Amino acid sequence: MVAFMEDVVAYIKSFGLSGTLIRKQIISCLWGDGIALTQKEIEERLPGETDRVTLYRTLRLFTEKGVIHKIVIDEDTRKYKLAGSFRKSDHAHFHCIKCNKLLCMPQLNVDLNGLPAGFRYQSAKLVVEGICDFCSQKQM
Ligand SMILES: [Zn+2]
Ligand SMILES: [Zn+2]
């Protein structure tokens, strides 16, 4: 999906942020259903030379403001995706092992009834791995 600049700017502004060049460039990279990239992948896709510190700070700001979701795949891989209509990121994500898509799955609940007595829940980072609908259809 090609990002239209006015949509990108409107999206950034809906979080109360101004659309600076780097912000617009990052959101454009992540635009599209299921697209999730690591910081390195975003860096490679940005046009021209990008200051790594600025990129890091912008991703942190976006995560704090709920513009993007930061998803921990494993200890070496953290991916960022647009939050879209899900402003909070404390839900499960589905990771397709075939096409690498990441999708927000707030409908999947972590069963907190299994916690031992006296334990209190704070947050859960659940990544469900599997094959998405598109890739399953291709296999048939
Ligand atoms: Zn897939
Ligand atoms: Zn999400």
Side-chain angles (χ1 to χ4, degrees):
M1 201 202 304
V2 181
F4 292 99
M5 226 13 104
E6 51 264 51
D7 293 338
V8 171
V9 174
Y11 182 74
I12 298 168
K13 284 192 174 158
S14 72
F15 293 88
L17 298 168
S18 59
T20 62
L21 182 63
I22 179 86
R23 288 174 186 172
K24 287 190 276 192
Q25 287 172 337
I26 294 172
I27 296 302
S28 302
C29 290
L30 295 171
W31 202 260
D33 203 24
I35 294 178
L37 303 170
T38 62
Q39 184 177 329
K40 192 166 179 287
E41 287 167 338
I42 295 171
E43 195 182 320
E44 286 164 2
R45 282 164 175 75
L46 291 177
E49 282 292 303
T50 310
D51 176 31
R52 210 165 275 178
V53 178
T54 310
L55 174 61
Y56 171 78
R57 284 203 190 125
T58 309
L59 288 173
R60 200 172 61 178
L61 173 78
F62 276 167
T63 308
E64 280 167 10
K65 295 276 183 190
V67 181
I68 56 175
H69 291 163
K70 179 181 178 179
I71 300 133
V72 179
I73 305 289
D74 59 47
E75 60 247 65
D76 302 317
T77 318
R78 278 163 194 81
K79 289 203 169 215
Y80 298 91
K81 79 177 290 295
L82 285 194
S85 48
F86 308 113
R87 293 293 150 113
K88 292 175 90 182
S89 62
D90 58 347
H91 49 244
H93 289 92
F94 187 94
H95 179 218
C96 176
I97 54 167
K98 291 259 174 201
C99 67
N100 232 348
K101 251 191 218 163
L102 262 170
L103 299 153
C104 292
M105 293 272 161
Q107 69 274 30
L108 297 179
N109 284 311
V110 182
D111 184 9
L112 300 169
N113 294 321
L115 281 180
F119 283 64
R120 281 193 301 163
Y121 166 82
Q122 195 152 29
S123 70
K125 295 172 184 68
L126 180 68
V127 176
V128 179
E129 303 235 290
I131 298 168
C132 75
D133 56 346
F134 181 77
C135 294
S136 332
Q137 274 167 21
K138 264 200 312 206
Q139 277 182 332
M140 285 192 291

